Amino acid sequence: MNKGVIARYRGRLPVSDKTPVVTLCEGSTPLLRADLLAAAVGLREGSVYLKLEGMNPTGSFKDRGMTLAVSKALEEGSQGVVCASTGNTAASAAAYAARAGLRCIIFIPKAGVAVGKIAQALMHGSELVEVRGNFDKAMTVSLSRAAELGFTVVNSVNPYRIEGQKTAAFEVAEDLGAPPELLFLPVGNAGNITAYWKGFCELGGRRPRLMGYQAAGAAPLVLGRDVEDPKTVASAIRIGKPLSRAGALAARDQSAGLIDSVTDAEIIAAYRLLAKAEGVFCEPASAASVAGLLKCRREKVPLSGRIVCVLTGHGLKDPQTPMRFKYRPFKER
Ligand code: F0G
């Protein structure tokens, strides 16, 4: 039975017998073989896998870090948690705080948070503050309010978030029997790429090259400078000033990987391909990983060994984006 990431990886996480475990049985998500995608990038069957992080309790990878961050907040006697979010961190913080009986205050950008994520935050009883401006503004406001309130920040500046999220690397390596050669993932605030790298380093042995993808209109790590007005269809990664910049660049350099960008058109093409060809509905930001893999193929970047694309969040988080497309009506054939 899956009892959550703290139970599964207790020995590798900063917890003790005194830590009250707040879990929704996150983690242990599927690693799905994606043979049609493998064929699309010219690789043989069994070489491309999708890590389905949308199968976590609140529908995104954030739950891995949140179980630890909220458990530790409770252990340390915190009265509440605070975060800024493009939506998924908010949904996850709200759910775990509800379970822990803690107050949860969330700062979200006024425009552009997918509706499913707002529904989750509201249902779990968090106190939602809409900030006029983008995620980066919400982050600034959130950090100063948390300090005033004396509440715990549960963004990925909280080291327990990274500790919890590194467990995804352990699972990938266990499921494949060894780490993959390449691991593709979307990059926003850059906590997740930092966490995967930490996880693979702690495992020892051969480590994958980490291939991180930002949206072209929100690509500060590719451009090497902050982006004042980030724009992309992938609202989860609409971030111009990533907090974990240093961790992401270290992961890129130490793994001989890269951080590149993909356009909104490439993200949407990958999003639709995954749904139609592999039967996997992820949210647009998640498809940036697969868009990155397809871009590597087009640009003739050598691809070999086993490849994992991380799909960070569930498609149902954002039920509105699919409504923009045309679909084929029923026809007798
Ligand atoms: N994919 C999804 C679905 C996300 O929600 C996020 C980040 C990322 C990828 C990028 O991960 O920030 O660790 O580089 N969402 C944050 C939030 C910012 O507030 O939910 P990252």
Side-chain angles (χ1 to χ4, degrees), residues 61-62 85-89 186-192 236-237 239 283 312-313:
F61 71 97
K62 306 286 181 178
S85 182
T86 55
N88 281 325
T89 299
V187 175
N189 216 19
N192 210 29
I237 53 171
I239 295 175
E283 65 171 286
T312 46

Side-chain angles (χ1 to χ4, degrees), residues 62-129:
K62 306 286 181 178
D63 295 344
R64 293 179 184 276
M66 208 54 75
T67 180
L68 209 68
V70 171
S71 296
K72 294 302 279 189
L74 203 57
E75 181 178 0
E76 289 160 8
S78 178
Q79 299 301 301
V81 298
V82 176
C83 66
S85 182
T86 55
N88 281 325
T89 299
S92 185
Y96 284 82
R99 216 167 151 79
L102 294 174
R103 273 181 75 190
C104 177
I105 304 174
I106 285 164
F107 295 87
I108 55 167
K110 196 168 170 62
V113 175
V115 67
K117 305 172 186 180
I118 295 179
Q120 290 177 287
L122 292 172
M123 279 299 284
H124 293 305
S126 66
E127 298 159 61
L128 214 54
V129 184

Side-chain angles (χ1 to χ4, degrees), residues 61 182-188 190-197 209-214 237 258-260 285-290 292-293 308-312:
F61 71 97
L182 294 166
L183 184 119
F184 287 77
L185 77 173
V187 175
N192 210 29
I193 190 168
T194 304
Y196 268 95
W197 185 239
R209 294 174 63 197
L210 296 192
M211 311 289 277
Y213 287 85
Q214 302 206 283
I237 53 171
L258 59 83
I259 298 181
D260 195 4
S286 305
S289 59
V290 171
L293 174 61
V308 171
C309 295
V310 182
L311 298 184
T312 46

